[in-house]
Structure formats: structure tokens, C-alpha cells
Amino acid sequence: MAPSVSHIGQPRNRVDGRLKVTGAARYAAEYQANELLHGYVVVSTIAAGRIVAIDTREARAMPGVVQIFTHLDRQGVSWWDRDWQDDTAPPGHPFRPLHSDRILYDGQPIALVIAESFEAARNAADVVHVLYEVAPHQTDIHAAEADQYEPPKKREGVPPPPEPRGDLDQALAEAAFRVDAEYEQPSEHHNPMELFASTVIYEENDKLTIYDKTQGSQNAQQFVSAVFDLDDVKVVNAYVGGAFGSGLRPRYQLFLAVMAALKLKRSVRLELSRREMFYLSYRPITLQKLSIGADSNGKLLALKHHAVQATSLFEDYQEAVVNWSGLAYQCDNAAFSYTLSQVNTDTPGDMRAPGAATGVFALETAMDELSYAAGIDPLELRLRNYAERDQNMDKEFTSKALRECYAEGAEHFGWSKRQPTPRSMHDGKELVGYGMASGFWDAQVNKAEAKVRLLADGSVEVLTAASDIGTGTYTILAQIAAEAFEIPIDRVKVSIGASDLPTSPVEGGSWMAASVGSAVHLAAEAIKTKLIHRANRHHEAFLPIASADLCVEAGMVKKTDGTGPTISVAELMQAAQWDAVEETGKAGPDMLQMQKYISYTHSAVFVEVRVDEQLGVARVKRIVSAIAAGKILNPKTARSQILGGVVMGVGMAMHEEGLFDHGTGRIMNHNLAEYHVPANADIEDIEVIFVDEHDDKVNPIGVKGLGEIGIVGVAAAIGNAIYHATGKRLRTLPFTIDKIIS
Amino acid sequence: MPEAVAPETGTHTISLTIDGAERSIIVDPWTTLLDLLRGPLGKTGTKKGCDHGQCGACTVLIDGKRINSCLTLAVMKDGAEITTIEGLATGDDLHPMQQAFVEHDAFQCGYCTPGQICSAVGLVNEGHAHERHEIRELMSGNICRCGAYTNIVDAVQSVLDQTAKAPTP
Ligand code: FES
Ligand code: FES
């Protein structure tokens, strides 16, 4: 038999690499149109109240200005909340830009200037004068916490806190060791490098082609169609300059650009500024309380976890924050609760591992605290409490190679060199600290379709509305199709990133590879079946052979055992007069399987920090992240996904914090100089390990997804390492120097 | 002959050599080099990430030196020779830095990448970086939110190793 070309599991360069390194890949703001108009947004400078007057006379008189839109002249949009609710909207009333004179948060868009050039629009926006009536606002969660409430309506796709189990109070009372602690996390802002932008190409009869920065072209397309009641809209997101969750929901620049294009019957581009991006969605400010009780061997007896998160005044955004504590370790007595507090900001949104990054930070810090209280090595403590079953759902895991993550991670890191006592390891002027944490994330499959087309020349096309936000979707889909037909990867053409392609979910939740990848795999299998049937029915030599004994291999239809007749696929297609064979694959959650099983990705993160003993300056010297995520399609792009998550975890731990001035209700550091995201100098050594994890239940291709798991646990592992280095326990993110030396 | 005309307020005619092509352009005094490139000239390979000199996405090379084009007014650069990401490759042959970025998977979304690559070429020209920690420090003006930093350092290091003796033009 001919050796099959293997693509899956191979470290392949990105198929879109050349386009990205030459500047040829085009992002939302980079499409040209005839007589393109440019927009610039005016945002509110108060956090609550109303607009009494908005004076646009001076701005209108500026050269090049075409029109200025405010709440006074917005028109022709749907009245119904359901039309404004995109696929990922939480319960509530979605924000409607320029809807009324009401101001709900600082940075809310209140006017749109449209001009012949970007500069003209920007200049005019500066001289739009607004008179406000100011009302009281609240941006301080510590004050808002008093009014916390359980969200009456649950957000779709987000499990509510698990049911209580056992007898928590008694178990806590009996515990030999206890940790009771509170944890705090500020707002974190996605800050993808690409600015949010929409270029709306207007054609006669309100036909729109929209290049939008979004994680789901179809979600954006449905939103525009519903809100404006249009029937000829196409949304394209061929390249997306990062998003990390911020592009799940349609952002207001999409609405405003479409509104202007329809009104002016011209093409419009609207690109937001970096400052405006700080007002869009964010990882919510969160306060958590954890109590853990363990017996004298460190076995967990009791666990209680409460979280309160910020949300806006108009939507109940929700995350699964406390749930992870119910499935991470075996613990028979537990209680969980989750509430919201309203603040004057835009609605928070999903940001890389929403809920888990937050909840696991608290849980894994508390576990570390318990390890020191009980005098047990932190890694050993986790092994003693290893969960063999999801107690929240009472289900088995489809696979769980977390033990292997612990073992391989510890080995590569050199965990055995850790001296147990805090402040006991030094290197020159620096204190050395070792810390670790576990990570957890869902491995989900979402409904997805993909069309695969085998052409007469043996090349293959893959079509689906999936997105590639840097995740490597183009590359892995090409690999899956190339593997199926045993052809070189450059003979596969992947078309994604447009709303008129077969249905795909938004890119998020780490489900893209598993869902769309499975759909491509199934479509390819269907094509092979069709070829086999054709040979079986129309070619004499194959008539006596049962189709179950036939296969397609290396471009030939033949018997699986290698004996008997063969026919090339090309010959077969020619005889049938087929230009192409096309099939659609559909993937989705396996409901039957899900009754018994549940699926997660796991990680073990090991960190070494160095803390300058006199100055308190901490740096993360190295991180080892060991990941169990089923089959790895492309170790090269997979590793990058994890590196990205780890780096964002370093940001979460060390730098990132939206600083609110509660007096004005404003984020003060709304730029990349004052809101620090990790720079190259902040990142030293990161090692990524993928442990073997075979999973034949999670989905047809055994893939679990990688977009989120890399960040989970990182902040806790860093904090735990800082504790080990300094003896100082930090429970409020980020771990800035003031907290270390205080 | 002016090729691209900004709004009627445009009052300055400048000439620039961009990626080898000489162009004469009418610009407003307040138009940044970045907005000129991305807008009227349609050279969108150069990216805007902040417009404030804080992210490096807009990095281009002027006479071989890396600059933030968002902090540069176009009128200030009359007569300059500018290389953007679109001018680094020779025909189908990628510049060694571009090739190294592909090989080392030194990007994910690709949005910071043109700036990273131009910056890295500038860094090699400067000749100050030899060790990894120097690369990290001297590449810190270019933010990558996708977190490709370790791979970026690998890519730059590999080019430095190749070109230790002959700096790229
Ligand atoms: S766009 Fe110029 S530095 Fe950010
Ligand atoms: S590759 Fe996405 S920001 Fe660098």
C-alpha cells in the first residue's frame, strides 16, 4: 500500500502566513470603495444622566463634513429587543446606539460624524458640543455589591452555579485545615491589536457588503438584517486582527456605519479609536469568597465558593465562575452561589476563558493556601484530591489526562527542586519562587456545517463561514482535508470568513477546531462514500464486491485488503461526467453521549518568579504549561495558541487593570501606554507540553480545542510563586509592586 | 502629477519614494504618514493599532530606520525613502525576516506582524541586539496581543544568526 501523506499532527506553517507577513491579508478597515465616507464617533464624558442639548453647528460647518447623526435623527430601526439580540447576547435589553438622550456609561457613543476624509471627521468630532444633565452613577463594585442579585434569567450556554451537595457546615466545622479568603479582580480589557472597524459597501437597493471585525460573520449578518430589516446583506471577516471574545457580539461601529450608509446611500468606513475600545465590553470586575476545609491528610471535606460580578445597567451578563470549583477536585460537601452588581459601564463580555480564568484564579490560589496550611506539597495536594468524575453534573469524563500534565509539567520544570518553605530560595539579590496551578476549560462541539468539493484535478475546496482570528482555522481545515484525500496541503483551498458560506458558529469557547473540523472530516468521508458507491454500481469489476470492503486511498478506489480491481478517482469522475464531487458535513453535540459523559481540557501550569528583595520588583522567569486537549492537529499553531493564553495570563497576573475614577465614573487609563499589556520584555521563557490524550468520545476527530485553556491557572500559579518567593499572599489582581512591598 | 488627492483643503505637495515607487502627493498638513499610507495610497499592509505611538503596529522604515508612522506627519517626510511591509519581499522571494516569521509561527492574527517585521529589520540594521534579552528589550515597542513574543524572538534571533556578518539593507 502507498504510504499515506500525513498532515494531522504535523507542525505545519500557517497557510495564510505569506499573506500576513507581506501585508496582503486585509482586515475590516482595509477595503476600498468609490467615494468612501469616513466616520468618527463622539462619546459621552459623563457616566450617567441625559443629553440636554447637542450643538453640531460648528462641526457641520467644517470642511468635508457630510452629516452628523445624534439621537435626534436616528431612524428606521427595529423596535424589538429580539432583533437586537445577537447569538451571544445575555438576557436584557441590548444597547442601542443613539437611541435616546439617556447616558448609561462614560464613553457611550452619542454622535457620529460622517465626512469625506478620516481627518475631516475627526476634526469635526472635536467641536460637537454637548450639554448634559448629570445623574448619580456607580462604578465601584465594592459599593454596588450591597445591591447584588441573582440574575433572574440565566444566560444561554452558561450553566448556573451547581446544586449544593452534602452537609457543608458540618464538614467545615470538622475540617482539620481551613482556608477562608476573598479574591478580587479588576476589569481587564481585550485590546486586540486591530481596532474595531466596519467598512460598509453600499450598492443600489440597499444591498450591503460589510467588512466587519467580528468573530462570527453570520452573527453580524443576522444582526444587521434584523435591526435594519434588510434582505441583501453579506458580512465578510476573512482576516481578524485578534478579538479574544470582544468580537463575539456585533459592536456599535457596525450599527453606526450601516445606519450612515443607508441614510446617505454611500459606502462608509468607521474605525474606532483605541480609547473607544476600552469602553466596549471587558472581563468583568469580580469579587470572590472561598472557604475550603480539609482533613488532616489534605483531603477536601468542604468547599464554598461565591462570586459577584459587575454587569451593566441594561443586561445581565453572566459567566460560569464558581462552577469550576465543583468539578476540579473530589469534594462531597459543597455550595456555590453567583450574583451580579450593576455598574455604569458597557455590558461586560467574554474574554479568553470567561469565568474560568476568574474562578480558577481564586480556587487555585486557595488550594495553594491550603497546601501551606496543611504542610503538603501543592502538587501532591492536588493529586490527593484528583477528581475522577464531574460531581457537578454527575458524569464521567470522556478523557482526562491531568495526571500526565502534572507529571510531565513537574518533570520539565524541575518541581522537585522546590524547597517547601517560603523565602527559602535565593539567587543573588533575588528571591526565587516556584508556584503551580491547574487549569480547566470546556471541550465543546457546536453545530457547524462545512462543504467540501473534490475537483477533477484532485484538488479540494473547503467552504464554511468559520472565522480565523489568529487561531489557525485556515491551516487546520486545510490539514484535515489534505489528510482525508492524501494530497499536499497547498492543493486545498479554504474559503472561510463570509456569511454566505455554510453555517458555522461564532469563533469562541474553543469549539471551532472540534466543530468545524469535524464537519470537514464528515464531508470528506461522505465524498469518499459517494465515490465508492459510484465505482460499486457503475464499474463492472467492482460489481461483485461489497461496498463495505472498498476504500478510497491515494486517489484510487480499491479494496481495503489491497487485492482486486482499482480505479483512479479521476477516471471515475470522468466516466461519470462529474466536474466535482461535493458534500456537506454537519457536526454537532452528540446528545446521547452527553447524557453520560462530559468533556474538558486540562492543564498544569508551573511558574518560577524572581522578586528583587529590596525593590519588590517581580518578574516571571519561566513558565511550563502542560496541556491535555485530546488530539493536537498542528503542534506548531497549537503551541502558539497556548503561548498566547499564557502571555495573556501574565498580563492578568502582573499588569492589566482598568483604573476607574469613581468620582467621574471613567476609566482613566484608556490607552496602551497606561493600560499595560505584556510587552516582549515582560515575557521570558515559556515551554508548552502537549500530553498524550486519546479521546474517541468527544467528537469524530478527537480534538478538544485550545483557545482558552492556555490562560486558565496562569495568574494563580504566578501569585503562588510570588508567595513562595516572598511569603506574601496576594489575593487582588494584578500583582503590582505596591502590593508586593506593602 | 499628483496621484492621490486628499480633501480640497490639501495644500502641500510632497514627493515620497514608497517601496521603490516615487510618488507626488497633495496632503493636508495634519495628515499622518500612517493615514496617508492606509487611506489615499491604499497601502494597508501598514497597520493602525493605537494612533498614539504606543503599539508599534504602524512601524515602517525610513532610510532603513524604524519609525512609528502614526507619529509622523507626512509633510515632514518630503523626499524620504520609505519601505513598508509591502516592499520587503523581492518578487516571490520573502525577505529573510518575513520567512523567519513564517517558519517560527511568530504571529497569530497577523495584525501586529507588519510592524514587528519592519521593526525587526530596523533592529538588525541598528546592530545593537545580539542576545535574546537584548532582542526582547529592543522589540518592546511592538505589542503583540496574541502573545507571539517568544516566537518573535526566535525568528529575529535566527535572522541575526544568518546575517551576523552582513546586515540586511
Ligand atoms: S499605531 Fe502607531 S504606534 Fe500604534
Ligand atoms: S499576531 Fe496578533 S497581535 Fe501579534
Side-chain angles (χ1 to χ4, degrees):
Chain A
M1 264 201 262
S4 60
V5 193
S6 177
H7 297 285
I8 290 184
Q10 299 303 312
R12 292 274 186 258
N13 290 343
R14 278 168 210 267
V15 297
D16 50 344
R18 173 175 277 268
L19 291 176
K20 285 180 173 172
V21 299
T22 54
R26 278 202 282 173
Y27 300 80
E30 301 176 350
Y31 289 83
Q32 310 297 338
N34 274 338
E35 307 208 325
L36 182 67
L37 291 169
H38 301 260
Y40 204 89
V41 177
V42 180
V43 300
S44 81
T45 54
I46 63 165
R50 51 180 284 270
I51 300 166
V52 175
I54 186 157
D55 180 357
T56 58
R57 282 169 300 178
E58 189 184 347
R60 270 177 220 275
M62 301 274 285
V65 172
V66 174
Q67 179 127 359
I68 299 176
F69 295 88
T70 70
H71 65 282
L72 297 170
D73 48 14
R74 202 201 63 166
Q75 51 190 254
V77 294
S78 170
W79 182 252
W80 307 104
D81 266 345
R82 63 162 186 271
D83 289 336
W84 290 80
Q85 266 155 350
D86 68 280
D87 278 356
T88 63
H93 308 290
F95 177 68
R96 303 177 183 197
L98 313 189
H99 178 64
S100 75
D101 59 353
R102 271 193 78 198
I103 302 295
L104 300 164
Y105 61 95
D106 180 75
Q108 176 182 323
I110 55 172
L112 171 70
V113 180
I114 296 287
E116 298 288 348
S117 76
F118 166 71
E119 290 85 349
R122 181 181 59 191
N123 293 351
D126 269 351
V127 293
V128 171
H129 305 291
V130 187
L131 187 65
Y132 299 104
E133 184 184 291
V134 179
H137 65 262
Q138 185 57 269
T139 49
D140 184 357
I141 194 161
H142 292 283
E145 195 191 358
D147 298 323
Q148 60 184 290
Y149 59 96
E150 259 183 53
K153 195 163 174 228
K154 303 301 175 205
R155 180 178 171 206
E156 211 184 300
V158 174
E163 293 295 313
R165 53 190 185 240
D167 185 340
L168 179 79
D169 291 335
Q170 194 186 335
L172 273 175
E174 285 169 2
F177 302 106
R178 266 187 78 156
V179 173
D180 299 278
E182 299 187 15
Y183 304 87
E184 190 173 335
Q185 180 176 307
S187 70
E188 289 163 11
H189 299 260
H190 303 73
N191 277 310
M193 291 318 297
E194 182 196 10
L195 300 168
F196 269 91
S198 304
T199 304
V200 179
I201 310 292
Y202 183 88
E203 288 172 68
E204 243 172 86
N205 300 324
D206 294 347
K207 172 176 165 38
L208 304 182
T209 306
I210 305 171
Y211 300 92
D212 186 43
K213 178 178 177 65
T214 173
Q215 288 171 249
S217 57
Q218 291 173 331
N219 189 32
Q221 194 270 351
Q222 282 152 19
F223 171 82
V224 168
S225 303
V227 166
F228 292 98
D229 191 20
L230 297 173
D231 48 30
D232 199 355
V233 178
K234 174 177 172 178
V235 174
V236 176
N237 66 337
Y239 295 96
V240 183
F244 316 110
S246 61
L248 288 169
R249 303 187 68 183
R251 293 299 166 195
Y252 69 73
Q253 93 287 343
L254 173 64
F255 170 84
L256 292 177
V258 169
M259 176 192 72
L262 291 173
K263 178 78 209 273
L264 301 169
K265 303 209 175 297
R266 283 181 63 181
S267 300
V268 172
R269 170 180 305 144
L270 178 56
E271 181 175 39
L272 299 188
S273 68
R274 179 58 59 185
R275 174 184 163 199
E276 282 149 13
M277 301 215 355
F278 278 83
Y279 307 133
L280 292 176
S281 176
Y282 60 95
R283 192 194 294 285
I285 309 153
T286 308
L287 305 177
Q288 302 185 66
K289 284 196 181 91
L290 255 150
S291 295
I292 301 184
D295 70 13
S296 55
N297 294 317
K299 288 278 287 174
L300 298 192
L301 297 174
L303 192 152
K304 186 177 171 188
H305 192 170
H306 174 70
V308 51
Q309 287 198 297
T311 192
S312 66
L313 265 47
F314 43 94
E315 286 174 312
D316 280 346
Y317 172 77
Q318 296 157 56
E319 297 182 342
V321 176
V322 297
N323 309 53
W324 308 98
S325 295
L327 62 87
Y329 303 106
Q330 166 81 28
C331 182
D332 297 338
N333 306 286
F336 308 91
S337 50
Y338 176 79
T339 56
L340 298 175
S341 285
Q342 291 184 338
V343 291
N344 289 86
T345 64
D346 187 14
T347 306
D350 296 311
M351 179 167 166
R352 206 164 206 161
T358 301
V360 173
F361 157 64
L363 172 69
E364 288 296 287
T365 309
M367 285 296 283
D368 199 64
E369 298 190 47
L370 178 64
S371 79
Y372 286 94
I376 301 170
D377 178 282
L379 177 53
E380 171 60 24
L381 179 74
R382 285 165 174 89
L383 288 167
R384 284 190 199 172
N385 290 289
Y386 199 83
E388 300 288 359
R389 195 178 165 76
D390 179 350
Q391 284 182 291
N392 288 351
M393 312 292 288
D394 194 23
K395 286 178 187 175
E396 282 177 46
F397 301 117
T398 56
S399 60
K400 178 177 176 179
L402 178 57
R403 258 199 200 92
E404 290 75 3
C405 293
Y406 289 141
E408 290 182 40
E411 163 84 29
H412 282 248
F413 181 83
W415 183 254
S416 59
K417 296 197 199 77
R418 171 181 176 273
Q419 292 163 21
T421 315
R423 293 187 82 90
S424 61
M425 294 170 73
H426 294 81
D427 182 5
K429 289 192 310 198
E430 288 182 316
L431 296 165
V432 177
Y434 285 6
M436 59 87 55
S438 325
F440 310 85
W441 182 253
D442 300 308
Q444 294 175 339
V445 177
N446 243 326
K447 273 194 186 162
E449 290 181 21
K451 191 177 280 180
V452 173
R453 197 178 281 152
L454 172 66
L455 302 178
D457 65 3
S459 70
V460 169
E461 292 174 6
V462 174
L463 301 102
T464 171
S467 314
D468 188 331
I469 60 173
T471 38
T473 313
Y474 280 104
T475 309
I476 55 144
L477 296 187
Q479 284 178 277
I480 292 169
E483 176 96 7
F485 294 102
E486 299 166 83
I487 54 176
I489 196 164
D490 58 9
R491 304 224 59 210
V492 181
K493 181 172 166 227
V494 178
S495 297
I496 59 174
S499 58
D500 55 359
L501 293 166
T503 312
S504 165
V506 291
E507 168 107 39
S510 294
W511 56 57
M512 185 57 82
S515 312
V516 181
S518 293
V520 170
H521 171 80
L522 294 170
E525 290 308 310
I527 288 177
K528 291 185 187 173
T529 305
K530 193 165 176 180
L531 292 168
I532 287 169
H533 283 160
R534 176 78 204 180
N536 208 208
R537 298 215 184 95
H538 297 271
H539 293 267
E540 218 170 310
F542 290 86
L543 290 178
I545 308 170
S547 60
D549 292 334
L550 292 171
C551 68
V552 180
E553 214 181 80
M556 309 289 281
V557 178
K558 54 165 98 166
K559 275 185 75 181
T560 355
D561 64 10
T563 64
T566 64
I567 181 169
S568 78
V569 170
E571 216 177 309
L572 192 90
M573 284 175 68
Q574 200 181 18
Q577 294 187 309
W578 288 343
D579 296 333
V581 188
E582 185 177 292
E583 288 290 341
T584 297
K586 291 186 188 181
D590 181 341
M591 296 301 176
L592 210 63
Q593 192 89 270
M594 281 169 65
Q595 287 176 6
K596 193 164 171 221
Y597 294 99
I598 191 145
S599 209
Y600 299 97
T601 48
H602 296 91
S603 70
V605 189
F606 296 84
V607 171
E608 177 182 336
V609 297
R610 298 298 183 96
V611 183
D612 184 296
E613 197 163 0
Q614 264 121 44
L615 301 176
V617 179
R619 64 192 175 97
V620 179
K621 184 154 171 51
R622 61 196 178 97
I623 299 180
V624 174
S625 174
I627 304 285
K631 185 187 283 175
I632 302 304
L633 294 169
N634 182 338
K636 198 175 224 176
T637 55
R639 179 171 169 273
S640 288
Q641 287 260 82
I642 301 303
L643 289 174
V646 169
V647 169
M648 205 172 270
V650 173
M652 178 178 176
M654 306 302 285
H655 315 296
E656 296 188 37
E657 175 173 26
L659 293 164
F660 280 86
D661 170 4
H662 298 307
T664 58
R666 178 175 305 165
I667 299 171
M668 301 306 288
N669 56 340
H670 48 58
N671 61 74
L672 291 172
E674 293 165 280
Y675 180 99
H676 190 80
V677 302
N680 207 319
D682 296 313
I683 303 302
E684 301 194 27
D685 205 14
I686 305 172
E687 184 180 348
V688 179
I689 299 165
F690 293 110
V691 305
D692 258 351
E693 187 177 66
H694 178 73
D695 193 323
D696 55 10
K697 298 189 189 75
V698 61
N699 55 55
I701 54 175
V703 164
K704 284 186 172 179
L706 293 163
E708 336 279 325
I709 186 67
I711 191 175
V712 186
V714 174
I718 292 173
N720 297 343
I722 292 175
Y723 176 78
H724 182 237
T726 63
K728 177 116 195 157
R729 180 59 71 184
L730 302 177
R731 301 187 185 91
T732 300
L733 291 165
F735 307 136
T736 44
I737 191 166
D738 52 312
K739 292 172 190 146
I740 296 173
I741 55 175
S742 72
Chain B
M1 270 292 282
E3 294 178 51
V5 182
E8 53 273 28
T9 51
T11 48
H12 296 257
T13 304
I14 58 169
S15 90
L16 297 172
T17 305
I18 301 171
D19 295 333
E22 209 187 311
R23 317 188 65 158
S24 173
I25 309 145
I26 297 176
V27 290
D28 285 324
W30 48 76
T31 298
T32 64
L33 179 58
L34 176 62
D35 286 330
L36 174 68
L37 286 168
R38 281 173 68 77
L41 298 183
K43 304 223 28 136
T44 53
T46 305
K47 306 303 181 195
K48 182 187 279 189
C50 69
D51 225 5
H52 282 58
Q54 298 169 342
C55 76
C58 62
T59 307
V60 298
L61 296 159
I62 296 196
D63 303 323
K65 279 179 68 176
R66 46 182 173 162
I67 60 133
N68 286 338
S69 61
C70 72
L71 290 186
T72 308
L73 294 173
V75 287
M76 294 157 58
K77 292 296 164 191
D78 191 11
E81 187 152 330
I82 299 167
T83 306
T84 77
I85 190 69
E86 296 168 55
L88 280 179
T90 319
D92 274 352
D93 294 335
L94 293 179
H95 184 283
M97 192 63 77
Q98 292 173 313
Q99 190 61 43
F101 268 62
V102 173
E103 295 300 331
H104 292 274
D105 207 34
F107 53 89
Q108 294 175 42
C109 77
Y111 198 80
C112 74
T113 312
Q116 300 278 1
I117 291 174
C118 287
S119 189
V121 170
L123 169 137
V124 173
N125 292 345
E126 289 155 16
H128 302 312
H130 309 284
E131 308 287 331
R132 288 182 76 85
H133 70 93
E134 292 165 332
I135 299 173
R136 285 206 305 268
E137 190 62 37
L138 294 170
M139 284 299 290
S140 280
N142 292 82
I143 295 175
C144 175
R145 187 54 158 165
C146 294
Y149 293 126
T150 53
N151 290 352
I152 290 169
V153 175
D154 288 345
V156 176
Q157 178 83 64
S158 75
V159 174
L160 277 174
D161 293 349
Q162 288 164 36
T163 58
K165 299 234 156 52
T168 43

